């Protein structure tokens, strides 16, 4: 099957492309390389023993996307901006890149008659007051422009399904962590803000220490709880989601493990994996952080038989391998 992956040169995209190639699909990647890396696709080709086609273009560029859709059966739409903090400072970038990008893609798909899509959404769509664990029907309340664009992207797909008979899936990612077991592809970002990349930077000496954002939450050790999922499990989840496209309509799934870990547990896990203590300091709460965000993963398991298999140690070991074997990311 010929598949288009937008954002396929990024962190999640490269792991997805690898999984799709290994499953025997023909893959075309559309990526403008603003956040993605062409080298990631070279390494994916090494690992898979064959390549994805690559088109360098912006997903909002309708004529280019129309060309890229030639022969395509379905689209995975991952291209977009994803830094919550940046979205608070520059909301318009998120409207342009995420909503403008989605509108461009849907226009091109409609034009050529491709009507199946799997969308990279986020647990960020849930409201702070939603009950834990988060089921797909939990209260919505996007707390930042990034989250708003994910919620609205989902709504666009609901309308395409309702009005145009499309099959669409929105996957609400929880916290992706780790790297392919080979150590050849991983997360490559100059100034990461997420917990695990920051902890690893503190271990390698790229930053003097990582700050724990709050130890006075109402959680067992006082630090926030999150549902971390191995990037390779997340990639596999995208393949499992293909079956949902057999049913018309818009289908929403949480993609998490249902098992939360605290910031302290993640830091302790990284120390274990690296064999030395993580330099950290106690910081203030980060504005906007929910104390707990954990998925109820049952709908995905019940409907599609998907369960994440890899545990925290595997996530952290693979992330550590990637960082130590590629100290300059894809640059060397
Ligand atoms: N944290 C620290 N120190 C750091 C970085 C993070 O203590 O230097 C803490 C945060 O306070 C939080 C936890 O580690 O409690 C996880 O933080 P991340 O920034 O790694 O992830 P978030 O849960 O804040 O955000 C992630 C994605 C978002 C997505 C959101 C959905 O990065 O894109 O999950 O729930 F919107």
């Amino acid at each position: 099957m010929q598949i288009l992956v937008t954002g396929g040169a990024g962190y999640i995209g490269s792991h997805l492309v690898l999984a799709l190639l290994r499953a025997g699909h023909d893959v075309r990647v559309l990526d403008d390389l603003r956040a993605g890396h062409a080298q990631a696709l070279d390494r994916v080709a090494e690992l898979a023993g064959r390549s994805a086609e690559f088109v360098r273009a912006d997903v909002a560029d309708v004529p280019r996307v129309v060309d890229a859709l030639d022969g395509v059966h379905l689209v995975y739409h991952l291209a977009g901006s994803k830094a919550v903090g940046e979205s608070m400072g520059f909301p318009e970038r998120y409207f342009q890149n995420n909503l403008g990008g989605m509108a461009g893609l849907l226009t091109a798909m409609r034009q050529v008659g491709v009507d199946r899509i799997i969308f990279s959404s986020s647990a960020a769509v849930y409201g702070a007051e939603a009950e834990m664990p988060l089921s797909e029907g939990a209260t919505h309340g996007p707390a930042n422009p990034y989250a708003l664009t994910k919620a609205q992207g989902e709504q666009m797909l609901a309308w395409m399904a309702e009005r145009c008979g499309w099959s669409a899936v929105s996957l609400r990612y929880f916290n992706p962590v780790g790297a392919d077991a080979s150590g050849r592809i991983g997360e490559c970002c100059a100034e990461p803000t997420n917990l695990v990349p920051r902890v690893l930077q503190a271990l390698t000496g790229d930053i003097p220490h990582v700050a724990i954002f709050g130890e006075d939450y109402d959680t067992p050790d006082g630090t926030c709880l999150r549902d971390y999922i191995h990037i390779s499990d997340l990639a596999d989840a995208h393949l499992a989601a293909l079956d949902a496209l057999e049913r018309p309509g818009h289908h929403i799934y949480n993609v998490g493990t249902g098992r939360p870990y605290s910031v302290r547990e993640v830091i302790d896990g990284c120390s274990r994996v690296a064999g030395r203590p993580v330099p950290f300091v106690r910081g203030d709460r980060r504005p906007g952080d929910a104390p707990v965000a954990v998925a109820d993963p049952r709908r995905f398991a019940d409907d599609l038989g998907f369960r994440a298999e890899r545990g925290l140690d595997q996530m952290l070991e693979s992330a550590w391998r990637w960082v130590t074997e590629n100290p300059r990311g894809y640059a060397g």
Side-chain angles (χ1 to χ4, degrees):
M1 185 160 57
Q2 179 72 56
I3 293 174
L4 182 71
V5 181
T6 75
Y11 170 47
I12 298 172
S14 55
H15 288 82
L16 170 59
V17 172
L18 177 59
L20 288 168
L21 290 171
R22 283 184 170 151
H25 298 293
D26 294 318
V27 181
R28 190 173 299 143
V29 168
L30 184 133
D31 197 305
D32 63 6
L33 299 183
R34 246 182 294 190
H37 300 269
Q39 298 91 326
L41 294 175
D42 296 339
R43 293 190 182 187
V44 165
E46 268 171 36
L47 294 169
R50 61 200 195 90
S51 310
E53 277 177 70
F54 176 58
V55 178
R56 184 168 184 174
D58 185 330
V59 72
D61 184 342
V62 176
R64 297 292 309 283
V65 180
V66 164
D67 287 346
L69 284 167
D70 186 40
V72 162
H73 298 97
L74 69 98
V75 176
Y76 284 99
H77 179 40
L78 277 63
S81 301
K82 62 164 190 175
V84 172
E86 182 194 41
S87 82
M88 294 295 260
F90 302 93
E92 72 287 356
R93 276 188 203 163
Y94 282 69
F95 304 149
Q96 177 70 44
N97 295 348
N98 294 2
L99 298 179
M102 177 72 112
L105 175 64
L106 300 183
T107 303
M109 288 174 65
R110 191 90 203 277
Q111 215 166 301
V112 299
V114 176
D115 59 3
R116 301 201 297 164
I117 180 167
I118 296 176
F119 172 52
S120 140
S121 185
S122 170
V125 300
Y126 293 116
E129 65 294 337
E131 236 177 81
M132 296 296 153
L134 293 158
S135 65
E136 287 82 352
T139 320
H140 276 215
N144 52 69
Y146 159 76
L148 177 73
T149 63
K150 291 297 176 184
Q152 293 195 336
E154 289 189 3
Q155 286 163 11
M156 289 181 186
L157 293 182
W159 281 110
M160 296 311 288
E162 161 89 19
R163 300 302 313 157
C164 311
W166 285 25
S167 295
V169 177
S170 291
L171 297 179
R172 291 184 180 157
Y173 306 157
F174 279 69
N175 292 60
V177 167
D180 183 65
S182 65
R184 297 292 292 155
I185 55 171
E187 186 167 15
C188 185
C189 168
E191 287 179 14
T193 57
N194 288 129
L195 177 65
V196 171
R198 296 286 292 172
V199 173
L200 299 183
Q201 281 191 316
L203 276 166
T204 56
D206 283 347
I207 55 173
H209 51 249
V210 62
I212 296 179
F213 294 150
E215 288 188 307
D216 55 351
Y217 286 98
D218 185 16
T219 58
D221 65 16
T223 66
C224 291
L225 295 170
R226 291 289 181 276
D227 187 333
Y228 299 93
I229 178 165
H230 195 297
I231 188 72
S232 300
D233 278 326
L234 183 59
D236 292 344
H238 288 75
L239 272 76
L242 286 172
D243 284 345
L245 290 177
E246 299 309 318
R247 291 176 279 134
H250 177 227
H251 312 288
I252 298 175
Y253 293 105
N254 283 336
V255 192
T257 66
R259 160 69 159 103
Y261 287 96
S262 71
V263 172
R264 285 305 296 246
E265 286 175 305
V266 169
I267 290 179
D268 291 347
C270 289
S271 298
R272 225 171 25 246
V273 161
R276 56 177 188 269
V278 173
F280 69 85
V281 294
R282 295 177 168 84
D284 294 335
R285 289 183 178 199
R286 184 171 65 178
D289 266 341
V292 181
V294 59
D296 177 344
R298 281 178 300 180
R299 183 190 282 183
F300 206 178
D302 293 348
D303 283 8
L304 300 164
F306 174 81
R307 268 183 198 80
E309 285 172 357
R310 299 160 179 92
L312 185 68
D313 279 359
Q314 251 179 303
M315 299 179 211
L316 302 179
E317 274 159 20
S318 62
W320 182 235
R321 178 170 187 192
W322 158 253
V323 163
T324 49
E325 294 184 5
N326 305 272
R328 298 173 58 231
Y330 290 113

